[in-house]
Amino acid sequence: MMTEYIDKISYYLPELSKALTESGIMIMISIIAAICIGLPLGTFVYLTKKIPTKTNRWVGVLLNGYINIVRSFPFLLFVVALIPFTRLVLGTAFGTYAAALPLSFVAVALYARLVEQVLLEIPNDILELSQSLGSTKLQLIFRFLYVEARSGLVLALTSVVISMVSYSTVMGVIGGGGIGDFALRYGYQRYEYAVMYTAIVLMIFFVSFIQISGSALAKKINKK
């Protein structure tokens, strides 16, 4: 039994390695987008609530609308609806990099909302202290808000990464590949259930590793 299992996995190993690489690319691109866009986006939404002005209030409404729409949109339908835009931007709507685009939109929206929630948990005393010291907006953000919320921001990003692992499993619908597509095509559809369950176990281990690593980092940098 074990020999048969090893032979079967060895036979599919090239495809499994390719699927893992595709998943890694999609997740990495989406997480970079979450950090580079979602973090400042969530911070700005927070500031529009804590330090509202006539200008940023309307911008905050628009950004909140984007976040709410993307987060509430059924993901598979969102991917399909975004195909024309993906084709316009990348020249193709199929493939791993094309699949990373809708994932990035979702990652940005998810992390932006989580960033806002984490920052809202910061005591108002911190905001008042920065204002009494005459801090600029950038100083407020980088020397007060992010320092105070760094542990929560790491945990929020950990949750987003895990969500992206889950979302990436359905990207085979537009030829994105990935470990989920591998489990369906080479496991379920070919009745190779050992292959399918191996892919599932790998995803479970990957998610567990991300969660343990994120929690450990958050605990390490938490100075409260």
Side-chain angles (χ1 to χ4, degrees):
M1 181 71 71
M2 182 57 68
T3 303
E4 182 182 351
Y5 170 76
I6 293 174
D7 290 340
K8 192 169 295 184
I9 296 301
S10 299
Y11 177 78
Y12 287 107
L13 189 58
E15 291 297 332
L16 177 59
S17 299
K18 180 183 177 184
L20 290 171
T21 301
E22 291 168 342
S23 289
I25 291 173
M26 289 188 288
I27 294 169
M28 184 62 66
I29 292 175
S30 63
I31 294 307
I32 291 174
I35 295 172
C36 295
I37 303 175
L39 178 60
L41 182 61
T43 304
F44 186 81
V45 171
Y46 163 82
L47 291 175
T48 62
K49 293 182 178 180
K50 288 294 185 177
I51 313 176
T53 65
K54 289 183 178 180
T55 302
N56 70 19
R57 185 181 292 112
W58 287 106
V59 177
V61 170
L62 293 174
L63 294 179
N64 263 307
Y66 161 77
I67 294 171
N68 290 334
I69 290 172
V70 174
R71 289 176 69 239
S72 61
F73 214 110
F75 181 65
L76 189 55
L77 293 179
F78 181 73
V79 171
V80 175
L82 212 62
I83 285 178
F85 178 75
T86 304
R87 186 179 290 114
L88 177 65
V89 173
L90 300 178
T92 179
F94 296 91
T96 302
Y97 291 99
L101 187 61
L103 274 177
S104 297
F105 274 94
V106 174
V108 166
L110 288 176
Y111 195 46
R113 180 63 75 211
L114 290 175
V115 167
E116 178 202 3
Q117 292 172 355
V118 170
L119 294 180
L120 285 172
E121 293 177 359
I122 297 176
N124 287 329
D125 295 346
I126 301 297
L127 194 61
E128 294 171 358
L129 175 61
S130 69
Q131 291 174 335
S132 67
L133 293 175
S135 301
T136 64
K137 288 286 180 62
L138 287 178
Q139 289 173 332
L140 166 64
I141 292 170
F142 289 99
R143 296 187 180 181
F144 291 89
L145 296 181
Y146 287 171
V147 172
E148 187 70 17
R150 56 189 180 273
S151 179
L153 293 176
V154 169
L155 290 175
L157 185 62
T158 301
S159 297
V160 173
V161 176
I162 292 173
S163 296
M164 291 305 100
V165 174
S166 177
Y167 285 135
S168 69
T169 59
V170 302
M171 297 314 295
V173 70
I174 58 171
I179 190 67
D181 183 55
F182 169 84
L184 286 174
R185 288 196 295 124
Y186 295 100
Y188 178 74
Q189 293 178 359
R190 297 187 181 186
Y191 303 102
E192 299 282 8
Y193 293 113
V195 175
M196 182 182 71
Y197 288 123
T198 298
I200 292 172
V201 169
L202 286 175
M203 283 189 284
I204 291 173
F205 275 118
F206 184 51
V207 168
S208 299
F209 173 76
I210 293 171
Q211 185 63 66
I212 292 171
S213 300
S215 298
L217 179 59
K219 184 178 180 180
K220 183 176 181 180
I221 64 177
N222 186 9
K223 302 299 181 181
K224 295 180 182 180

